[in-house]
């Protein structure tokens, strides 16, 4: 998830590009760059770090440029660095490309281009686009892009500038957003509306497969087959603050709704039709995989609950013993890690969590092989681990984690498939792969169908000061995450319990009307969960139950029942957590809380 801007018109281009990048810095902030066309020359400036680093490099001699492209990066391929920053160039230096998305077959394309004599300088997937344009160019920039698009697989919003065509920009979109802003002789491009709002509210919102040529005469839009297309104008009526949030009231709600996209991005290029998994950054040999005797999962907060789901999944499918630890405790309990036979699985959204980093170092000191799951390329956790899997969730602005959590859980399913194939015991992998491909659609269905219900049911939670979440098996870690979301943003006291533990003290806390959210998605434990629901109902609890379609028996016991898509039990944790996120969100809104920045909390805990 990165920020793209572009401009062609009558005004100085550089201030417009920089202003647009400032509006989009929330989409990516590990590096930034611009390419402008001045006196038929293509001039590029880019820098790792925040946008201020780029501003410091810009020279006063770019004032006459009237066209250019810009990019603020959230790294997926290649660590944050000057050379990996966008825009990327071809060998001749005559073409520049900015790109948001993932080119799945970039390694194959890169090798073909190298064999044809092209020279690469970065680690990114995007650089292949610049070289492909050069490869296909025969005097017509638009036609070069048309020839390139069928060759690439993956998602993209891309814009191409060329010194050969100082009065033309060409853009294309597939699964990543791209917007065109119209203002007389001035045309703007951006990956999100905030970048163009200071200049115009008249836009084209591009759809998948559309290609655009921009020149001083106007904007021409084409279908993927090259046929011209008439496009309906979209008038934006949001204010700037709302636009930065995509029209949502809060970043948290925006990020909840981004989860289908985040899951899809995490799967892209990794899941093959035959159940094979390609995890760039993981290079375990078959011997190393077979030698594993234990997996130790280490994480904090929401990442720890994701790891608890991973424990169930990895043990179930790999038949390996798995420990899960809170990082702040792991390093002090002298854990037993068999040298060369233990995989330390470290999970951190930011990759900078202090306790998780310290535990990673302890695990390595003890001789464990460490594999990191993180969202931030080039983070400390990524750099210090032996292997790394990036979640590709994109930047998460709200303190309460949502899309980072679901992609962390999904990544552990992919890891299970990867290790299962390496260890030769993955007869289940093909079926798992088929279901994982459907996962983004399942989550989208939950958002559409259950969001109005969660908004309504939040009204029942608001008057109370206490709420309890219960679940068994895989539902237990999800109940922990649901309770954490509710208390961290609504400031209600919320606790989660393994439902079988109710008789061991928890029932004493149940009073008339006490909200209890009961998760009942596990088939083997369904009857036991019905008994637990009856227990809290007998003490006066108000029960909201979440279960899969077809489990109608729960309606006789609970006050409210929400039905989830009929996913396999092992996949339920990702689907079930979404309505719990929505319940927490709407409860916090109703209580007037600062949803995106809850009191006393920070996004990344970088001190002990």
């Amino acid at each position: 998830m990165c920020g793209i801007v572009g401009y062609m018109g009558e005004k100085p281009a550089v201030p417009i590009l920089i202003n647009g990048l400032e509006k989009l810095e929330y989409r990516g902030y590990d590096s930034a760059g611009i390419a402008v066309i001045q006196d038929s020359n293509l001039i590029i400036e880019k820098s790792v770090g925040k946008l201020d680093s780029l501003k410091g490099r810009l020279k006063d001699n770019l004032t006459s440029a009237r066209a250019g492209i810009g990019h603020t990066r959230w790294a997926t391929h290649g660590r944050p660095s000057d050379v990996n920053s966008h825009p990327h160039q071809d060998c001749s230096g005559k073409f520049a490309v900015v790109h948001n998305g993932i080119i799945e077959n970039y390694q194959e394309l890169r090798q073909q281009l190298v064999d044809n004599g092209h020279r690469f300088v970065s680690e990114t997937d995007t650089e292949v686009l610049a070289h492909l344009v050069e490869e296909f160019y025969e005097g017509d920039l638009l036609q070069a892009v048309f020839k390139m698009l069928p060759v690439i697989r993956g998602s993209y919003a891309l814009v191409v500038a060329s010194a050969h065509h100082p009065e033309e920009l060409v853009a294309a979109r597939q699964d990543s957003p791209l917007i065109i802003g119209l203002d007389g002789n001035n045309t703007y491009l951006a990956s999100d509306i905030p970048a163009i709002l200071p200049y115009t509210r008249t836009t084209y919102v591009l759809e998948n497969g559309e290609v655009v040529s921009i020149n001083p005469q106007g904007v021409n839009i084409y279908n993927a087959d090259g046929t011209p297309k008439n496009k309906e104008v979209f008038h934006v009526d949001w204010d700037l603050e709302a636009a930065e949030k995509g029209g949502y009231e809060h970043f948290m709600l925006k990020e909840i709704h981004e989860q289908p996209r985040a899951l899809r991005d995490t799967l892209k290029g990794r899941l093959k039709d035959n159940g094979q998994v390609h995890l760039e950054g993981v290079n375990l040999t078959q011997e190393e995989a077979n030698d594993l005797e234990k997996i130790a999962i280490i994480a904090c907060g929401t990442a720890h609950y994701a790891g608890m789901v991973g424990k169930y999944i990895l043990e179930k499918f790999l038949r390996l013993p798995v420990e899960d630890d809170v990082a702040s405790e792991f390093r002090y309990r002298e854990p037993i890690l068999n040298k060369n036979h233990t995989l330390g699985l470290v999970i951190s959204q930011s990759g900078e969590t202090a306790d998780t980093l310290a535990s990673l170092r302890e695990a390595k000191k003890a001789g464990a092989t460490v594999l990191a799951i993180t969202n931030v390329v080039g983070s400390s956790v990524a750099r210090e681990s032996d292997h790394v899997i990036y979640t590709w969730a994109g930047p998460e602005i709200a303190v309460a984690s949502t899309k980072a959590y679901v992609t962390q859980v999904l990544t552990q399913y992919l890891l299970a498939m990867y290790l299962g194939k390496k260890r030769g015991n993955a007869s289940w992998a093909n079926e798992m792969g088929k279901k994982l491909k459907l996962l983004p659609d399942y989550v989208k269905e939950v958002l559409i169908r259950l969001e109005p219900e969660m908004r309504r049911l939040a009204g029942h939670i608001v008057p109370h000061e206490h709420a309890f979440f219960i679940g068994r098996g895989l539902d237990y870690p999800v109940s922990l995450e649901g309770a954490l979301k509710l208390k961290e943003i609504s400031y209600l006291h919320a606790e989660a319990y393994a439902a079988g533990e109710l008789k061991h003290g928890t029932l004493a806390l149940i009073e008339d009307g006490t909200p209890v959210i009961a998760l009942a998605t596990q088939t083997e434990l369904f009857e036991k969960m019905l008994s637990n629901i009856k227990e809290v109902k007998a003490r006066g609890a108000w029960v909201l139950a979440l279960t899969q379609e077809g489990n109608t028996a729960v309606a006789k016991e609970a006050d409210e029942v929400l039905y989830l898509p009929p996913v396999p039990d092992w996949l339920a944790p990702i689907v079930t957590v979404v309505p719990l996120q929505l319940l927490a969100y709407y409860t916090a809104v109703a209580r007037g809380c600062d949803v995106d920045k809850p009191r006393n909390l920070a996004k990344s805990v970088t001190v002990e």
Side-chain angles (χ1 to χ4, degrees):
M1 185 173 178
C2 307
I4 287 174
V5 296
Y7 171 75
M8 177 162 285
E10 300 172 339
K11 306 174 185 177
V14 172
I16 293 171
L17 297 175
I18 295 300
N19 185 61
L21 292 178
E22 286 176 338
K23 296 294 189 297
L24 296 181
E25 197 168 12
Y26 67 90
R27 292 181 61 93
Y29 34 74
D30 58 44
S31 59
I34 63 170
V36 295
I37 302 171
Q38 182 167 277
D39 301 325
S40 296
N41 293 315
L42 190 62
I43 302 169
I44 293 181
E45 290 288 351
K46 52 187 184 176
S47 174
V48 70
K50 300 285 188 180
L51 190 55
D52 285 342
S53 298
L54 173 63
K55 290 179 184 177
R57 293 192 177 188
L58 294 177
K59 302 176 180 63
D60 295 333
N61 61 348
L62 301 179
T63 54
S64 64
R66 295 295 184 267
I69 56 179
H71 188 273
T72 182
R73 183 174 187 240
W74 178 263
T76 55
H77 291 73
R79 60 187 174 83
S81 67
D82 286 356
V83 74
N84 286 334
S85 305
H86 297 216
H88 286 285
Q89 288 181 280
D90 67 312
C91 300
S92 70
K94 298 295 186 181
F95 301 97
V97 177
V98 291
H99 162 235
N100 181 17
I102 298 166
I103 304 303
E104 296 176 8
N105 59 333
Y106 85 97
Q107 290 177 315
E108 169 192 337
L109 293 172
R110 181 173 178 137
Q111 186 58 55
Q112 292 172 3
L113 289 161
V114 168
D115 292 343
N116 288 347
H118 290 262
R119 302 178 307 279
F120 283 76
V121 297
S122 80
E123 305 166 284
T124 70
D125 56 333
T126 299
E127 192 182 353
V128 300
L129 302 177
H131 290 279
L132 283 170
V133 173
E134 179 190 19
E135 183 82 358
F136 290 123
Y137 180 71
E138 295 178 341
D140 189 317
L141 183 61
L142 177 62
Q143 290 304 314
V145 173
F146 272 125
K147 291 176 183 177
M148 172 184 71
L149 295 181
V151 173
I152 60 178
R153 295 196 310 271
S155 60
Y156 53 80
L158 61 89
V159 188
V160 183
S162 173
H164 294 306
H165 299 267
E167 294 190 331
E168 183 178 22
L169 299 176
V170 177
R173 179 245 160 106
Q174 182 67 42
D175 293 331
S176 291
L178 196 60
I179 292 122
I180 310 294
L182 309 170
D183 178 28
N185 294 328
N186 300 295
T187 305
Y188 307 84
L189 299 96
S191 51
D192 213 344
I193 288 172
I196 65 174
L197 268 191
Y199 312 105
T200 182
R201 293 176 178 269
T202 304
T203 70
Y204 291 134
V205 179
L206 296 190
E207 299 170 18
N208 283 342
E210 292 183 339
V211 180
V212 182
S213 172
I214 297 169
N215 57 55
Q217 286 71 49
V219 176
N220 298 299
I221 301 177
Y222 303 87
N223 292 307
D225 61 3
T227 57
K229 182 173 184 178
N230 292 322
K231 187 82 175 168
E232 186 176 341
V233 168
F234 173 69
H235 292 280
V236 180
D237 57 7
W238 305 336
D239 61 24
L240 184 57
E241 183 179 359
E244 288 178 347
K245 297 169 184 171
Y248 294 99
E249 187 176 354
H250 298 96
F251 278 110
M252 182 181 177
L253 186 60
K254 177 176 181 281
E255 288 157 8
I256 289 173
H257 279 265
E258 286 177 343
Q259 288 177 122
R261 190 274 309 158
L263 292 166
R264 200 171 286 113
D265 283 353
T266 298
L267 289 171
K268 275 176 185 169
R270 291 172 164 172
L271 194 55
K272 311 303 179 183
D273 291 336
N274 60 358
Q276 294 286 348
V277 173
H278 171 69
L279 297 176
E280 182 184 346
V282 182
N283 301 299
L284 286 166
T285 66
Q286 186 172 351
E287 181 181 5
E288 289 171 329
N290 282 321
D291 283 348
L292 290 178
E293 297 174 354
K294 181 171 71 172
I295 298 174
I297 299 176
I298 308 161
C300 296
T302 284
H304 174 232
Y305 298 148
M308 290 179 68
V309 174
K311 171 183 166 66
Y312 282 82
I313 297 303
L314 293 167
E315 283 191 337
K316 174 181 176 64
F317 289 102
L318 297 180
R319 307 311 303 154
L320 270 174
V322 180
E323 299 176 357
D324 68 271
D325 263 290
V326 176
S328 56
E329 294 295 325
F330 173 86
R331 56 190 293 214
Y332 298 114
R333 71 171 179 85
E334 299 183 18
I336 300 171
L337 305 176
N338 299 333
K339 187 174 182 179
N340 300 324
H341 297 286
T342 298
L343 179 67
L345 181 56
V346 173
I347 308 175
S348 170
Q349 189 281 140
S350 68
E352 303 295 343
T353 310
D355 286 313
T356 305
L357 262 174
S359 296
L360 181 160
R361 291 160 184 159
E362 287 296 318
K364 290 195 74 170
K365 190 185 300 182
T369 299
V370 175
L371 188 154
I373 294 175
T374 184
N375 194 31
V376 181
V377 175
S379 60
S380 297
V381 160
R383 293 196 310 272
E384 296 188 30
S385 296
D386 301 297
H387 309 272
V388 61
I389 308 173
Y390 293 110
T391 54
W392 294 345
E396 201 174 56
I397 306 302
V399 167
S401 183
T402 52
K403 59 180 180 174
Y405 171 81
V406 297
T407 54
Q408 287 166 353
V409 174
L410 173 57
T411 302
Q412 291 174 96
Y413 290 113
L414 294 174
L415 178 61
M417 293 176 66
Y418 175 88
L419 291 175
K421 288 287 187 179
K422 287 282 186 180
R423 290 168 62 86
N425 61 343
S427 58
W428 41 267
N430 285 359
E431 185 62 24
M432 178 179 279
K434 291 176 184 176
K435 294 298 182 182
L436 290 181
K437 287 181 178 178
L438 297 174
L439 183 57
D441 294 328
Y442 287 136
V443 171
K444 186 175 181 179
E445 178 187 343
V446 169
L447 286 165
I448 293 170
R449 189 155 51 84
L450 296 188
E451 183 168 11
E453 291 296 297
M454 302 321 289
R455 186 187 294 113
R456 174 180 67 85
L457 292 167
H460 193 94
I461 307 293
V462 169
H464 298 273
E465 289 300 321
H466 307 277
F468 298 96
F469 292 69
I470 57 175
R472 286 175 174 262
L474 275 167
D475 284 335
Y476 173 50
V478 180
S479 69
L480 287 164
E481 173 61 10
L484 176 61
K485 285 292 155 285
L486 186 62
K487 59 189 165 189
E488 71 179 327
I489 64 170
S490 77
Y491 313 146
L492 283 174
H493 170 248
E495 292 297 335
Y497 296 94
E501 293 295 294
L502 285 169
K503 295 186 183 72
H504 297 276
T506 311
L507 278 173
L509 299 172
I510 304 298
E511 300 175 339
D512 283 345
T514 301
V516 175
I517 293 85
L519 311 186
T521 72
Q522 303 299 297
T523 304
E524 291 184 359
L525 299 166
F526 184 73
E527 291 182 353
K528 294 185 183 297
M529 272 304 301
L530 286 183
S531 296
N532 296 138
I533 291 171
K534 290 178 181 179
E535 287 173 346
V536 295
K537 281 293 295 178
R539 275 77 180 175
W542 175 86
V543 177
L544 165 60
L546 277 73
T547 191
Q548 287 143 325
E549 292 174 5
N551 293 338
T552 55
V554 74
K556 299 176 182 178
E557 312 300 338
D559 296 277
E560 297 273 359
V561 182
L562 297 179
Y563 292 102
L564 303 165
V567 299
D569 291 7
W570 53 264
L571 194 55
I574 294 179
V575 177
T576 309
V577 79
V578 176
L580 301 185
Q581 296 166 347
L582 290 167
L583 182 66
Y585 172 79
Y586 284 110
T587 302
V589 169
R591 288 171 61 90
C593 301
D594 188 343
V595 174
D596 288 334
K597 297 178 182 178
R599 67 190 182 202
N600 304 331
L601 299 179
K603 184 64 183 171
S604 180
V605 182
T606 56
V607 295
E608 291 187 54

